[in-house]
Amino acid sequence: MTILGQVAYLLAPRGRRSGFVEMVVDFVARTRREARAGNGAAAWRAAAGAARTGMSLDVPAYRQLSRRTEASLFASHPPSGLRAGLIAGRAAQPAAVVMTEAEQARMDDELATHYERVRRELVTT
């Protein structure tokens, strides 16, 4: 298993590890593909969105599975699927911070040198 796979495995909640690892690997593969093509942060965000969309089909099954596998009298927290369901059932609230396209572009300009360094690292790893 690669280092990325090991980190994803350790970060994933118990009972959902295989799907989480696949999602992280898919996200990194898509981002690395965009970096190798010479694309910048905007393309990386689009790749991340595509990875999230691809995973969204499996999320209900993972949440249902976690309700069974993570349930315990000795657990300090409810299963992650139950917590996610409780959060999803709450009324929507407006965002506390809204960033405009101009603000995002200004931040991208400030971070351009860092984006280029990360892009080079993604290409070489």
Side-chain angles (χ1 to χ4, degrees):
M1 180 182 289
T2 65
I3 291 175
L4 174 66
Q6 291 173 4
V7 170
Y9 182 82
L10 293 173
L11 292 175
R14 184 175 44 102
R16 297 191 312 167
R17 286 188 167 152
S18 63
F20 187 80
V21 170
E22 291 165 359
M23 189 275 301
V24 170
V25 170
D26 181 40
F27 166 75
V28 171
R30 289 172 188 253
T31 306
R32 188 172 286 153
R33 187 177 324 125
E34 293 297 331
R36 286 188 177 133
N39 298 324
W44 302 352
R45 282 190 289 275
R52 276 193 306 272
T53 301
M55 187 188 142
S56 67
L57 300 173
D58 297 330
V59 168
Y62 287 133
R63 287 182 179 167
Q64 184 64 30
L65 179 63
S66 76
R67 288 180 182 197
R68 291 183 174 86
T69 60
E70 296 175 15
S72 169
L73 292 174
F74 304 108
S76 60
H77 298 290
S80 57
L82 179 59
R83 285 185 285 162
L86 293 171
I87 291 169
R90 296 178 70 185
Q93 298 178 356
V97 177
V98 178
M99 187 168 31
T100 65
E101 291 291 327
E103 290 171 329
Q104 186 171 355
R106 193 181 86 237
M107 289 176 68
D108 283 344
D109 289 342
E110 290 177 17
L111 296 172
T113 57
H114 300 289
Y115 287 158
E116 181 56 28
R117 179 181 48 82
V118 169
R119 190 193 68 74
R120 284 193 310 268
E121 289 178 14
L122 284 170
V123 169
T124 59
T125 57

